[in-house]
Amino acid sequence: MKRRFVMATALAAASLGVASLPAAQAQDYPTKPIRLIIATAPGGLMDIPGRLYSEFADRSNWQRVLVENRGGAGGNIGVEAVAKAAPDGYTLLMATSSHVTNRTLYKSLPYDFVQDLSPVSRVAFIPNMLVVNPANVRVNTLAEFIKYVKDTGAKARLNYGTGGNGTSHHLATALFASMVGVDMEHVPYKGGAPAAAALLGGQVQVLFAPLVEVQSFVEAGKLKGLGVTTRERSPLYPAVPAIGEALPGYEVALWNGIMLPAGTPADVVGKLNTAIVKALAQADIKQRLAEQGSNPAPNSPAEFRQFIAGELGKWAKLVQISGAKVD
């Protein structure tokens, strides 16, 4: 499925031209629509940045970008499409922390995330939130929940829902359980929405979900937020503690960012990076991301590459703790 969006990151590069492309192309770059591939089904978490860039670029009358959702195989289908695309600046990937996880989660992949892709800029950090159904789990604080988990776990296993094997829901909960010292029963669903529905219906007692997936339920009082998985508290919920405050060292920070096929000219990468940083500095885009619980976190291509290098071992350890495997 293709939907028309416009992306400020690519479009700013269009206005500046690309000196490292052939002269005939550089003057008018881009001469055709640019694709932003999101490796999830339409309507998912990663669609939000595409919509924001669309609105920003509409106001600026930039060249259009086609957002193409290529879900399947845990995001590997979409990543492979970008990894094997021509390195000409016309195919972008909305990369996520789950793509780093896949290096350990899958036995083999048809691409190398580090070697076949070129980092442009990180876009945002996205916290998971620990939520419970207050009708079933009657606790008010993170400390009370940890006690509840320990006390209940001594009698029977609690069920925790996830969006699937090896997802951030799974890894965040597995790390929590290992640090608290309890066993909980993993109940995987086909996505975050069914997992949230299971929590609302009482089929599971615990859910660690990306904030945007449960935010409306928390605000409506149907679910209670007890902690966030990032190192710092979310500005959107300053009264909800970071889980690391109670469990020192606990952190599971989701992120997304823009990447290109390896071999894309450095001038293209640099100009796209500049455009991303400018777009994320726009007050309305910052506000809209904040409303979804995301914290803008742009950086340079070199910094993004170094950041990814540091993430490889971190997510591999989380996969190991969870015991998650995908054949």
Side-chain angles (χ1 to χ4, degrees):
M1 179 182 294
K2 289 186 178 180
R3 291 177 296 167
R4 181 183 176 189
F5 289 106
V6 191
M7 186 176 181
T9 56
L11 303 181
S15 70
L16 295 172
V18 182
S20 58
L21 292 178
Q25 297 179 3
Q27 183 176 359
D28 299 321
Y29 177 86
T31 59
K32 59 183 179 181
I34 298 169
R35 294 188 302 161
L36 170 62
I37 291 183
I38 298 177
T40 61
L45 177 63
M46 294 305 107
D47 275 353
I48 294 171
R51 293 192 183 100
L52 293 178
Y53 291 135
S54 172
E55 295 172 9
F56 175 80
D58 278 344
R59 297 196 306 265
S60 305
N61 194 31
W62 292 113
Q63 166 69 31
R64 63 183 181 141
V65 164
L66 298 176
V67 170
E68 183 177 335
N69 291 91
R70 287 204 183 186
N76 292 323
I77 292 175
V79 178
E80 181 183 7
V82 178
K84 296 182 177 180
D88 56 8
Y90 286 98
T91 305
L92 312 178
L93 171 70
M94 180 63 75
T96 73
S97 46
S98 65
H99 300 147
V100 172
T101 302
N102 287 350
R103 284 173 58 91
T104 303
L105 192 61
Y106 287 80
K107 289 183 179 179
S108 62
L109 293 171
Y111 62 87
D112 186 308
F113 186 77
V114 175
Q115 299 298 323
D116 296 341
L117 294 165
S118 179
V120 179
S121 175
R122 191 176 54 205
V123 172
F125 283 117
I126 309 154
N128 272 20
M129 177 177 274
L130 160 59
V131 290
V132 297
N133 185 332
N136 299 323
V137 178
R138 293 179 173 84
V139 299
N140 293 308
T141 67
L142 178 61
E144 289 179 4
F145 177 73
I146 292 174
K147 183 178 185 302
Y148 169 83
V149 168
K150 289 182 176 180
D151 291 345
T152 305
K155 305 171 185 177
R157 281 191 176 187
L158 291 170
N159 295 325
Y160 69 94
T162 75
N165 200 28
T167 59
S168 68
H169 314 75
H170 185 190
L171 303 185
T173 316
L175 178 61
F176 175 85
S178 71
M179 295 183 71
V180 172
V182 300
D183 289 327
M184 293 194 287
E185 191 69 30
H186 179 206
V187 184
Y189 293 89
K190 294 182 178 180
L199 183 65
L200 290 165
Q203 286 80 45
V204 297
Q205 290 78 50
V206 184
L207 179 64
F208 284 68
L211 183 53
V212 68
E213 293 182 0
V214 295
Q215 181 179 352
S216 62
F217 301 120
V218 172
E219 293 179 354
K222 295 180 179 179
L223 296 178
K224 186 172 185 62
L226 298 175
V228 293
T229 64
T230 43
R231 184 176 302 173
E232 305 292 337
R233 297 189 180 197
S234 168
L236 196 61
Y237 293 95
V240 177
I243 295 172
E245 294 175 29
L247 298 174
Y250 181 97
E251 181 188 11
V252 180
L254 311 183
W255 53 265
N256 55 37
I258 299 298
M259 302 185 78
L260 290 163
T264 300
D267 197 36
V268 176
V269 176
K271 288 183 166 75
L272 289 176
N273 175 269
T274 298
I276 292 171
V277 173
K278 288 182 178 179
L280 291 173
Q282 299 295 310
D284 58 334
I285 289 181
K286 291 171 67 175
Q287 180 179 349
R288 291 285 297 281
L289 285 172
E291 289 171 356
Q292 301 294 334
S294 297
N295 301 317
N299 55 7
S300 71
E303 290 169 337
F304 193 20
R305 184 178 297 280
Q306 184 176 10
F307 171 79
I308 290 173
E311 291 285 282
L312 299 177
K314 170 184 169 183
W315 289 97
K317 182 178 180 180
L318 289 176
V319 171
Q320 182 180 16
I321 290 171
S322 72
K325 293 181 180 180
V326 178
D327 294 330

